């Protein structure tokens, strides 16, 4: 069985330390310039990735952020955990009363923002598929659906982080934007699951699309009804008989990870499971404000910067460079 060697562990901690340090520093700088911290965190990844460091010192990026091997897998695992935890925080911060009040508007915006780019992408992929890179042996419909979905799906984590950094997340406008993004992403991931099924690339957890949709809707309904009620009943017990804030923090992360595992298994991205878990937890009147703030700070200042900086590690803007592609 493969394990991380002492050298692998040394490189992993070194890369995480550098990535977090640079992301936090540039995030703080961005906020001093009246910009959202996520801007600095993304730029940190670009600087440490193949675009800048990969051109200036290709040996360094190959050492710190290899594209293959155990260190690449370990870093990918940590950043996957980071985004799941961040969506837990995003869910906790959702004001359900505002979402219910503005929900119809959010769905209208989410639907409109998806239909237009989806239609354009699908039409273009059907008219000039070769120009867009479709191979002759590939399924034309699957290719068109893939391109259309890629153009129409939103970036819920980026939207949530930007709104949080700007202090707009819990506002009426913020809840409308978030509800629209959730609807947009949910529909987009379902279409993406259909596309993967058509391509035969769904992986070991491929389910019939009807079952995936049913499980998704069922999980959402359970989490926002029975799950929310059960969590509301459990929180006072946890606060009375466990140490603060460890008891509630551990409980919240447990529910989020289980929800993430379930939605990933059914073919919808793990972030939806943790997001819905956060919504159910955050809606309880028993969740103390100090606990909410502790969870937010724990995730937003440690895990979130790691994830958003890691995005920059995967892009290479200078395509003619000789640096390694990450």
């Amino acid at each position: 069985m493969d394990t991380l060697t002492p050298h692998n562990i040394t490189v992993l901690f070194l890369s995480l330390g550098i990535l977090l340090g640079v992301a936090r520093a540039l995030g703080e700088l961005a906020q001093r310039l009246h910009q959202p911290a996520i801007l600095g965190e993304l730029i940190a990844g670009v600087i440490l990735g193949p675009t800048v460091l990969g051109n200036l010192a290709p040996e360094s990026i190959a050492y710190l952020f290899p594209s293959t091997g155990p260190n690449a897998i370990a870093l990918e695992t940590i950043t996957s955990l980071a985004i799941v935890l961040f969506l837990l925080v995003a869910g906790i911060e959702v004001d359900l009363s505002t979402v219910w009040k503005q929900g119809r508007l959010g769905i209208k915006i989410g639907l409109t923002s998806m239909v237009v780019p989806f239609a354009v992408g699908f039409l273009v992929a059907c008219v000039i598929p070769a120009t867009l890179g479709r191979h002759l042996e590939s399924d034309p419909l699957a290719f068109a659906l893939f391109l259309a979905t890629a153009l129409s799906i939103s970036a819920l984590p980026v939207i949530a982080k930007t709104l949080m950094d700007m202090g707009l997340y819990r506002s009426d406008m913020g809840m409308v934007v978030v509800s629209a993004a959730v609807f947009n992403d949910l529909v987009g991931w379902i279409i993406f699951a259909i596309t993967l099924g058509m391509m035969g690339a769904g992986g070991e957890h491929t389910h019939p699309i009807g079952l995936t949709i049913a499980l998704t809707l069922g999980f959402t309904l359970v989490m926002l009804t029975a799950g929310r009620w059960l969590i509301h009943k459990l929180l006072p017990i946890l606060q009375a008989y466990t140490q603060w804030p460890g008891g509630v923090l551990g409980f919240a992360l447990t529910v989020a990870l289980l929800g993430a595992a379930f939605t990933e298994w059914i073919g919808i991205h793990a972030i939806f499971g943790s997001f819905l878990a956060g919504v159910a937890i955050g809606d309880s009147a028993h969740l103390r404000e100090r606990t909410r703030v502790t969870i937010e700070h724990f995730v937003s200042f440690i895990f979130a910067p790691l994830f958003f900086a890691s995005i920059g590690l995967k892009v290479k803007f200078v395509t003619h460079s000789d640096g390694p592609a990450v």
Side-chain angles (χ1 to χ4, degrees):
M1 180 178 179
D2 294 335
T3 59
L4 291 177
T5 66
H7 171 72
N8 293 143
I9 295 173
T10 300
V11 172
L12 177 63
F13 288 157
L14 181 62
S15 61
L16 286 174
I18 293 174
L19 193 62
L20 178 60
V22 176
R24 285 294 304 125
L26 294 186
E28 291 288 342
L29 177 61
Q31 289 192 309
R32 289 183 179 273
L33 296 175
H34 306 290
Q35 300 297 319
I38 186 177
L39 178 63
E41 294 162 1
L42 291 170
I43 292 175
V46 173
I47 292 174
L48 295 174
T51 301
V52 178
L53 186 61
N55 281 291
L56 299 178
E59 300 83 5
S60 298
I61 189 175
Y63 178 80
L64 289 171
F65 308 108
S67 58
T68 59
N71 278 88
I73 295 173
L75 183 60
E76 182 72 20
T77 301
I78 292 172
T79 54
S80 296
L81 173 64
I83 190 56
V84 164
L85 295 182
F86 175 68
L87 264 293
L88 165 67
V89 170
I92 289 175
E93 292 299 316
V94 165
D95 184 351
L96 266 186
S97 62
T98 303
V99 171
W100 297 138
K101 184 173 62 177
Q102 305 284 356
R104 183 176 298 181
L105 178 59
I107 291 176
K108 287 181 179 178
I109 294 174
L111 187 61
T112 305
S113 66
M114 186 171 192
V115 168
V116 175
F118 187 92
V120 171
F122 190 87
L123 179 63
V124 172
C126 291
V127 174
I128 51 172
T131 305
L132 298 174
R134 181 176 74 83
H135 297 292
L136 294 177
E137 63 275 10
S138 63
D139 186 336
L141 178 59
F143 176 78
L145 285 173
F146 178 83
L147 182 65
T149 305
L151 290 177
S152 59
I153 200 169
S154 65
L156 177 59
V158 175
I159 292 172
K161 184 66 160 61
T162 303
L163 290 172
M164 286 182 181
D165 291 342
M166 299 179 68
L168 297 173
Y169 190 83
R170 291 180 65 85
S171 66
D172 286 355
M173 184 193 74
M175 289 297 97
V176 169
V177 172
V178 170
S179 59
V182 170
F183 176 82
N184 182 296
D185 275 15
L186 189 57
V187 174
W189 279 107
I190 289 175
I191 297 174
F192 189 60
I194 296 174
T195 307
L196 290 179
M198 294 173 60
M199 297 169 60
E204 61 181 283
H205 296 312
T206 303
H207 302 288
I209 188 59
L211 180 60
T212 297
I213 296 174
L215 289 173
T216 301
L217 296 177
F219 177 73
T220 303
L221 180 63
V222 169
M223 285 302 299
L224 296 181
T225 55
R228 187 160 56 105
W229 175 85
L230 181 60
I231 289 170
H232 181 70
K233 295 297 182 182
L234 286 175
L235 281 179
I237 300 174
L238 290 170
Q239 291 170 342
Y241 296 103
T242 62
Q243 292 185 350
W244 182 90
V248 176
L249 179 60
F251 172 75
L253 266 61
T254 298
V255 176
L257 293 175
L258 292 176
F262 182 76
T263 52
E264 185 72 25
W265 176 72
I266 64 177
I268 303 298
H269 200 286
I271 63 175
F272 288 104
S274 61
F275 179 79
L276 287 175
V279 172
I281 294 169
D283 187 60
S284 174
H286 295 309
L287 184 65
R288 298 172 183 169
E289 185 62 25
R290 289 178 62 192
T291 304
R292 186 193 301 271
V293 171
T294 300
I295 297 174
E296 180 184 352
H297 286 179
F298 172 69
V299 173
S300 298
F301 293 103
I302 299 176
F303 287 100
L306 284 175
F307 170 76
F308 291 112
S310 73
I311 294 176
L313 296 178
K314 300 175 183 178
V315 296
K316 188 176 183 180
F317 293 112
V318 187
T319 55
H320 64 272
S321 69
D322 296 324
V326 177

